[in-house]
Amino acid sequence: MEHPFFLYNTLSRNKEQFIPIAAPHVGLYVCGPTVYGDAHLGHARPAITFDILFRYLTHLGYKVRYVRNITDVGHLEADADDGEDKVAKKARLEQLEPMEVVQYYLTRYRHAMESLNVLPPSIEPMASGHIIEQIQLVEEILQAGYAYESKGSVYFDVEKFNKDFGYGILSGRNIEDMIANTRTLDGQDEKRNPLDFALWKCAKPEHLMHWPAPWSEGFPGWHCECTAMGRKYLGENFDIHGGGMDLVFPHHECEIAQATAAQGHQMVRYWMHNNMITIEGKKMGKSLGNFITLDQFFTGDHPKLTQAYSPMTIRFFILGAHYRGTVDFSNEALQAANKGLVRLLDANDQLDKLTTSSKSSYDIASIATQCAEAMNDDLNTPIVIATLFDAAKLINRLRNGEEQISQEDLDELKRIYRLYLFDILGMKDERVSGSTGTEAYKGAVNLLLDIRQTAKSQKDWATSDKIRNALTELGFTIKDTKEGAEWQLNE
């Protein structure tokens, strides 16, 4: 590739040039949601982060197989090895079958992702649909000697694995420190060591979801699903595994241990993690009860929200920070994101109204260079957005006659601006809702402004003012120019 693409690898703690195992094919696995409640802002961040990666890799010419799983079994409360399954608990409280809970929230999750213009993954496997693969993985780890059976459950032997391969390479945790700081909890007497984690759990009589296995009627441990499904769809070696930073330990650390124990080496070359969304400085999450669902953002129906925010405002807000930095929610930040997005969309509208000259007074190629350099530097979307703002200023100067542009450069400016704003950043113009009525809607406003223009030319100031005032009251800004009236709908 002419310009190398660098990604931050959590495993090496460095930015590394991305070189696929089998170019042009790229294998990408991302941990998806546990579907027992509505998606919140914290779920939007990894979905948008890895959507940007998916879009950019595709733009670079790679053929990406993007696998994003759905956890519908085995994820116990507090991410522990004992306790109630999160999905099953919701089912018990609502007196539903667990898969009714899964279906309901999965449908809502997909709808929310579509609203955010997150592209669907190539494959969206569910944990409950891959029990056989998970049992096979557990059998391989047992045969390799890195797991043991206890009272119908199977646990991973962390201490033995650590002696042979080293445990903690992703998180940088030291096993001796972890042992010293881990107390044995009630109900964990089945384990040889409190650090050991469940590969298979024997189901108690009240447990709603269970399957037959060689060891017991039970269910897989939470960490097994991603190792089993990643291997099934992407092979024993694949390029990128992504997820939220909160998954580095224990989830991804355990995934590395499982894969290494089963096949002698771990599967993944580049580990990528997005940082958290915070609210008043604390991580936003279901377990903390401080989350705002995406639907609440879209409707404004939450005490911490001063107004409703559109899906594209949410997307733009998240992309305004680098994916490895924290993003703190505030109404002020979302309002600023909304204003910024409207500025970029307004500039895009102006692109089709610009007049050309014989030569250009601005180096258009520099915009493309800056955007590409930013994306190649670990998906630096804030720099891309800053460059688009500079381009928007240029568009306004061109409109006002303060700069000149040739037809060739104008075509290139349109291509670059729209490529990065719409194709790579994945923004949509939501200012007119609904695609079917968009042209009719625009046509109706333009018709009113044509009638107003006729009234003005006939010195019928009463009609002219009446149309302008009515449109202003409805939330439009009307600007009279030499070429005629221009309008936009205020957010």
Side-chain angles (χ1 to χ4, degrees), residues 39-60:
H40 58 68
L41 196 60
H43 294 115
R45 194 166 197 200
I48 290 169
T49 296
F50 293 102
D51 183 56
I52 295 292
L53 177 64
F54 184 28
R55 287 169 181 271
Y56 194 59
L57 287 169
T58 304
H59 164 70
L60 292 176

Side-chain angles (χ1 to χ4, degrees), residues 309-338:
Y309 297 99
S310 74
M312 285 304 102
T313 298
I314 299 292
R315 187 178 176 105
F316 195 68
F317 164 67
I318 286 172
L319 294 177
H322 190 268
Y323 77 89
R324 287 193 289 115
T326 54
V327 174
D328 196 49
F329 156 79
S330 72
N331 282 285
E332 293 74 21
L334 279 162
Q335 285 158 9
N338 181 56

Side-chain angles (χ1 to χ4, degrees), residues 32 45 125 142 150 189 198 248 269 273 293 305 442 477:
R45 194 166 197 200
L142 275 165
S150 174
D189 56 334
V248 171
R269 286 187 70 173
H273 295 92
T293 70
L305 298 174
K442 287 180 177 175
T477 297

Side-chain angles (χ1 to χ4, degrees), residues 178-189:
M178 286 192 281
I179 290 169
N181 294 319
T182 307
R183 60 188 180 88
T184 304
L185 300 171
D186 292 341
Q188 289 194 344
D189 56 334

Side-chain angles (χ1 to χ4, degrees), residues 234-434:
L234 299 174
E236 287 194 356
N237 294 285
F238 62 88
D239 298 297
I240 304 169
H241 193 319
M245 210 171 269
D246 55 335
L247 297 178
V248 171
F249 188 89
H251 189 48
H252 289 165
E253 196 73 77
C254 293
E255 276 193 62
I256 288 175
Q258 288 169 164
T260 306
Q263 60 192 40
H265 58 85
Q266 74 131 324
M267 297 189 294
V268 182
R269 286 187 70 173
Y270 303 89
W271 286 88
M272 283 181 69
H273 295 92
N274 62 275
N275 213 321
M276 301 295 100
I277 299 271
T278 57
I279 180 162
E280 292 161 352
K282 292 178 185 168
K283 176 198 160 187
M284 183 182 284
K286 283 200 186 95
S287 56
L288 298 169
N290 65 348
F291 62 93
I292 305 173
T293 70
L294 293 172
D295 272 357
Q296 286 170 328
F297 275 104
F298 302 159
T299 60
D301 184 20
H302 190 280
K304 286 194 182 291
L305 298 174
T306 56
Q307 64 181 80
Y309 297 99
S310 74
M312 285 304 102
T313 298
I314 299 292
R315 187 178 176 105
F316 195 68
F317 164 67
I318 286 172
L319 294 177
H322 190 268
Y323 77 89
R324 287 193 289 115
T326 54
V327 174
D328 196 49
F329 156 79
S330 72
N331 282 285
E332 293 74 21
L334 279 162
Q335 285 158 9
N338 181 56
K339 281 182 186 162
L341 177 57
V342 168
R343 267 174 58 204
L344 293 184
L345 293 171
D346 284 347
N348 178 62
D349 293 341
Q350 294 300 327
L351 275 170
D352 292 321
K353 300 173 185 174
L354 297 177
T355 51
T356 55
S357 303
S358 56
K359 59 179 184 176
S360 300
S361 58
Y362 190 93
D363 179 16
I364 300 299
S366 65
I367 298 169
T369 303
Q370 287 168 42
C371 286
E373 283 175 355
M375 289 301 292
N376 285 332
D377 182 17
D378 195 28
L379 305 177
N380 200 328
T381 55
I383 299 295
V384 174
I385 289 169
T387 306
L388 290 175
F389 277 130
D390 287 342
K393 283 179 197 163
L394 169 66
I395 291 164
N396 287 327
R397 290 201 303 273
L398 286 164
R399 178 173 160 271
N400 296 333
E402 297 161 31
E403 301 267 7
Q404 286 79 45
I405 192 166
S406 67
Q407 185 62 54
E408 188 183 353
D409 278 355
L410 177 58
D411 292 341
E412 179 63 0
L413 179 58
K414 285 179 184 178
R415 186 192 71 80
I416 297 163
Y417 194 86
R418 289 165 179 170
L419 167 70
Y420 281 94
L421 183 59
F422 299 120
D423 296 351
I424 292 173
L425 294 185
M427 305 312 301
K428 285 192 301 189
D429 192 343
E430 296 173 314
R431 291 172 300 173
V432 181
S433 55

Side-chain angles (χ1 to χ4, degrees), residues 114-271:
E114 194 178 339
S115 299
L116 291 167
N117 205 23
V118 168
L119 299 173
S122 319
I123 305 172
E124 198 170 39
M126 295 172 75
S128 64
H130 296 77
I131 300 296
I132 292 167
E133 289 85 353
Q134 292 177 77
I135 289 172
Q136 186 186 339
L137 173 69
V138 177
E139 285 177 328
E140 286 175 36
I141 296 169
L142 275 165
Q143 284 162 15
Y146 295 106
Y148 56 90
E149 191 182 339
S150 174
K151 297 181 183 176
S153 294
V154 181
Y155 292 98
F156 191 93
D157 191 334
V158 170
E159 209 158 8
K160 184 173 181 193
F161 176 81
N162 183 59
K163 281 176 189 156
D164 293 346
F165 293 102
Y167 179 78
I169 59 169
L170 187 68
S171 61
R173 299 191 183 204
N174 178 287
I175 189 167
E176 286 77 20
D177 292 344
M178 286 192 281
I179 290 169
N181 294 319
T182 307
R183 60 188 180 88
T184 304
L185 300 171
D186 292 341
Q188 289 194 344
D189 56 334
E190 295 176 356
K191 298 183 184 184
R192 292 176 187 169
N193 187 311
L195 285 186
D196 295 348
F197 57 89
L199 298 172
W200 184 265
K201 285 290 288 181
C202 177
K204 291 172 182 168
E206 67 273 15
H207 204 90
L208 292 174
M209 291 186 280
H210 45 82
W211 292 263
W215 318 285
S216 64
E217 182 82 13
F219 57 93
W222 173 39
H223 311 304
C224 285
E225 62 178 284
C226 293
T227 305
M229 295 192 292
R231 187 167 69 168
K232 180 179 176 73
Y233 295 110
L234 299 174
E236 287 194 356
N237 294 285
F238 62 88
D239 298 297
I240 304 169
H241 193 319
M245 210 171 269
D246 55 335
L247 297 178
V248 171
F249 188 89
H251 189 48
H252 289 165
E253 196 73 77
C254 293
E255 276 193 62
I256 288 175
Q258 288 169 164
T260 306
Q263 60 192 40
H265 58 85
Q266 74 131 324
M267 297 189 294
V268 182
R269 286 187 70 173
Y270 303 89
W271 286 88

